[in-house]
Amino acid sequence: MKATAVAHPNIALVKYWGKSDVETNLPAVGSISITLDTLTTTTMVDFSAGSERDELILDGAPASEERSRRVRSCLDLIRRRRPGLPPVFVESENSFPTAAGLASSASGFAALVTAVNAVLDPPLGIDDLAEISRRCSGSSPRSLYGGFVELALHGEGTRVRPVLDRSEWPLEIVIAVTSRTAKKVGSSDGMELTRKTSPFYESWVSGSPYDLALARGAIASRDFEALAAVSEASCLRMHAVAMAAQPGLVYWTGTTVECLHRVRALREEGAPVFFTIDAGPQLKAICDPAASELVAATLAEVPGVIEIVRCGLGDGARVVED
């Protein structure tokens, strides 16, 4: 009745932004991502702790009511499939800033469902785990797999599948951390504000299948330039549609913008690197391993960069020994 799981955050190259059904947290568009290896969420669940209700400790302290509510909702979805599960004590720790644009929700719920599944008899299949985690964090199913991953719209739901193993195209990621502060507007609230008020939202949704097709082709052929073009375009379109909401959502800092310009300058000079930015101020530079030292050194020189984190492509969520 006790298990521990590890999951890694993922970064979307073709972005997900917006929901077609808020109640079921159904994305309005598909997405393609890469799973990272250095950043981790480690989650322990203990159904034998004697808790009176589900309890969450996050990064060494009791979680906020909102985060606890989301965890309880996830556990309730599991209980619908496996009735009789007692209240559980959950202890989760991120090796990176929480709620700051580094996909902590994605890795958090992927680790949670994987740990709980380890004590179920019989366990749930991965498609069930993906559906449960997706209802709590739209990008979480992608962290169940490693390497390149696609979350596609499928019927009235979604389907997540690996696209390419991490060993088949071992790119590296350099993250320029520009803030450790939790963002003021969370992704879910930001998506709904965008859907309701941005004049560009429908164009964003209708253009997504084209970007997904371009990215699939680029990944299949290991075409770095093609992947760079579609990834940067998807990133900028996502932020443009969010900035056009009322009030406009600006997740970037001045340092984020300067990092973006440095990455563009490096590519103009011949370095194989491109950028992407999720709903937060951290810039992620995806590059060929041979360029990672140069990219890291260049971004470290940008005033306002707090930390440089270097990652490769990682594995999916998995159970580990305590």
Side-chain angles (χ1 to χ4, degrees):
M1 298 300 287
K2 183 177 180 181
T4 301
V6 166
H8 303 283
N10 66 78
I11 358 176
L13 303 181
V14 176
K15 299 296 190 188
Y16 145 57
W17 191 254
K19 306 176 193 298
S20 59
D21 188 322
V22 174
E23 184 176 346
T24 62
N25 208 35
L26 183 65
V29 297
S31 54
I32 292 177
S33 66
I34 48 178
T35 302
L36 309 183
D37 66 354
T38 302
L39 309 180
T40 59
T41 297
T42 304
T43 299
M44 183 276 296
V45 298
D46 187 356
F47 287 90
S48 60
S51 301
E52 294 184 0
R53 67 169 189 162
D54 297 327
E55 181 180 356
L56 172 64
I57 300 297
L58 177 62
D59 294 332
S64 67
E65 184 53 40
E66 171 59 20
R67 192 164 292 268
S68 296
R69 181 194 64 77
R70 292 176 67 190
V71 167
R72 293 183 189 117
S73 295
C74 181
L75 294 166
D76 288 343
L77 289 170
I78 296 174
R79 289 186 176 105
R80 291 181 190 177
R81 292 165 169 82
R82 294 291 185 272
L85 279 177
V88 60
F89 174 77
V90 180
E91 187 168 10
S92 188
E93 183 173 358
N94 294 316
S95 69
F96 56 97
T98 300
L102 287 171
S104 58
S105 290
S107 54
F109 283 102
L112 176 63
V113 298
T114 300
V116 173
N117 201 43
V119 306
L120 299 181
D121 186 18
L124 298 171
I126 193 161
D127 287 340
D128 283 329
L129 296 183
E131 171 69 12
I132 291 166
S133 66
R134 192 263 297 159
R135 284 180 173 247
C136 302
S137 168
S139 56
S140 182
R142 301 192 308 243
S143 284
L144 294 173
Y145 290 98
F148 295 79
V149 185
E150 179 170 4
L151 183 65
L153 302 181
H154 182 69
E156 296 182 356
T158 57
R159 180 172 61 189
V160 61
R161 292 291 183 268
V163 175
L164 193 69
D165 187 81
R166 66 190 184 98
S167 63
E168 297 180 81
W169 197 9
L171 299 178
E172 294 192 8
I173 302 91
V174 178
I175 303 172
V177 179
T178 70
S179 173
R180 293 193 177 94
T181 304
K183 53 198 177 190
K184 293 181 179 179
V185 181
S187 293
S188 292
D189 290 340
M191 288 182 196
E192 191 62 3
L193 178 66
T194 301
R195 183 186 69 81
K196 290 179 177 178
T197 67
S198 177
F200 307 132
Y201 182 73
E202 293 304 323
S203 295
W204 159 256
V205 173
S206 63
S208 175
Y210 179 70
D211 286 348
L212 290 167
L214 288 177
R216 283 188 217 105
I219 293 167
S221 60
R222 320 296 196 272
D223 187 334
F224 189 89
E225 288 300 320
L227 186 61
V230 68
S231 297
E232 289 191 356
S234 178
C235 168
L236 293 175
R237 288 179 191 137
M238 185 198 92
H239 283 279
V241 73
M243 288 179 187
Q246 298 181 30
L249 294 165
V250 182
Y251 287 106
W252 298 350
T253 65
T255 304
T256 310
V257 177
E258 181 57 30
C259 287
L260 182 158
H261 287 304
R262 296 291 179 97
V263 170
R264 281 187 161 178
L266 283 173
R267 191 160 74 252
E268 289 172 0
E269 294 165 4
V273 59
F274 65 89
F275 67 82
T276 191
I277 309 162
D278 292 321
Q282 330 302 357
L283 179 134
K284 295 91 173 180
I286 294 87
C287 59
D288 184 275
S292 62
E293 289 283 353
L294 172 62
V295 173
T298 300
L299 292 177
E301 293 174 351
V302 176
V305 170
I306 298 170
E307 180 183 4
I308 294 293
V309 179
R310 297 175 62 177
C311 307
L313 300 188
D315 293 318
R318 60 207 178 273
V319 175
V320 296
E321 295 295 327
D322 289 334

